[in-house]
Amino acid sequence: MNYRGRLAPTPTGYLHLGHARTFWIAQERARSAGGTLLYRNENLDSDRCKPEYTVAAIEDCRWIGLHWEGDVLHQSGRLDLYLKAFEQLKQSGYLFPCTCTRRDLENAVAAPHGEGGETIYPGTCREQTTPPEADCNWRFRVPDGEQVTFEDAHYGPQQFVAGRDFGDFPVWQKNGMPSYQLTVVVDDADQEITEVVRGADLLVSTARQLLLYRALELIAPSFYHCDLMLDAEGNRLAKRNQALSLRELRTNGKTPEEVRKRWI
Ligand code: GLU
């Protein structure tokens, strides 16, 4: 099968050096495989995503030297596709309606913590049999104790245990919008992506997504997770910290070649 990769930024701020480095690796891997690279704008969250950041991300990617094939795909125009996958999962019994509020989850003191310290869903609504309220979240019931394994093209063999490293995760939100986990699976499958290149912060999400691929009877791509870039204080780069944004570096007169030297 021909290699197909993608760049998939979320336009909630300006792209920083870490994004650029990950995207550069994605481009290198697509090139060395003689494959195709696509660009997907993950702009579904209309509260956090801004059209000006979509424009800026495309401009900044071009400036740094990234090239992709075809038009940019915008997630905001694809709700029907996500809804179809949601209905399929719901009908197949993989989901349960969840009325827990954020506060309920925070207050579940006994709730264990998984990878990265996130709270594992305590199971409050898991066996709920009463009909769901109109507006509730829908979670994926993970197969407790199952080992989800995959071979990462950069980090090697990976193993996560469902119910221990991650819990029942949201697939559909009560505001009528799908979760990141669902959209990324639906889109990567629909765009026939063969390898996903992204930051190492998403390693455990890959385990969640592999469960979704299986439940939706879709073929999963391969994965290459990249090291995260740290700032001088050893903190992960964040969009809210402007110092190392491509925009800022460019405004300060850096050339794309100088910026690329930071990671090559
Ligand atoms: N849009 C996601 C982000 O910017 C990345 C999704 C992915 O690569 O799977 O964090």
Side-chain angles (χ1 to χ4, degrees), residues 77-95:
R78 293 165 64 82
L79 201 56
D80 287 358
L81 210 66
Y82 310 132
L83 195 56
K84 218 171 112 206
F86 166 55
E87 292 297 341
Q88 186 184 334
L89 288 170
K90 195 159 62 166
Q91 251 136 54
S92 317
Y94 287 105
L95 310 182

Side-chain angles (χ1 to χ4, degrees), residues 4-176:
R4 281 166 74 84
R6 49 44 163 204
L7 313 176
T10 304
T12 50
Y14 293 119
L15 297 183
H16 56 56
L17 265 183
H19 298 115
R21 177 178 180 274
T22 298
F23 292 173
W24 192 262
I25 294 171
Q27 175 162 282
E28 290 293 298
R29 290 189 64 82
R31 273 199 183 149
S32 65
T36 305
L37 189 65
L38 306 175
Y39 188 112
R40 185 167 76 229
N41 178 33
E42 302 212 320
N43 64 337
L44 259 191
D45 182 345
S46 56
D47 290 338
R48 296 175 59 235
C49 297
K50 301 267 177 290
E52 56 267 36
Y53 291 134
T54 292
V55 174
I58 293 169
E59 255 175 43
D60 291 349
C61 284
R62 290 210 173 109
W63 175 75
I64 200 75
L66 295 162
H67 304 275
W68 54 88
E69 252 171 61
D71 294 335
V72 170
L73 187 85
H74 300 278
Q75 284 193 327
S76 52
R78 293 165 64 82
L79 201 56
D80 287 358
L81 210 66
Y82 310 132
L83 195 56
K84 218 171 112 206
F86 166 55
E87 292 297 341
Q88 186 184 334
L89 288 170
K90 195 159 62 166
Q91 251 136 54
S92 317
Y94 287 105
L95 310 182
F96 63 89
C98 176
T99 50
C100 294
T101 61
R102 201 174 287 258
R103 173 159 302 180
D104 292 338
L105 299 179
E106 280 162 11
N107 290 348
V109 280
H113 290 77
E115 271 290 307
E118 69 185 277
T119 311
I120 303 277
Y121 180 70
T124 321
C125 298
R126 220 181 192 200
E127 308 308 331
Q128 191 160 272
T129 46
T130 47
E133 294 171 22
D135 56 342
C136 64
N137 297 307
W138 288 82
R139 288 178 184 271
F140 187 90
R141 190 185 294 103
V142 303
D144 280 338
E146 182 178 327
Q147 289 185 5
V148 183
T149 59
F150 62 96
E151 181 72 23
D152 187 79
H154 180 216
Y155 289 109
Q158 300 295 309
Q159 179 185 306
F160 296 97
V161 178
R164 186 195 75 187
D165 296 325
F166 63 94
D168 299 336
F169 57 88
V171 161
W172 203 265
Q173 302 165 37
K174 67 177 182 191
N175 65 2

Side-chain angles (χ1 to χ4, degrees), residues 6 8-10 42 180 184 198 202:
R6 49 44 163 204
T10 304
E42 302 212 320
Y180 155 70
V184 79
R198 61 185 176 199
L202 290 169

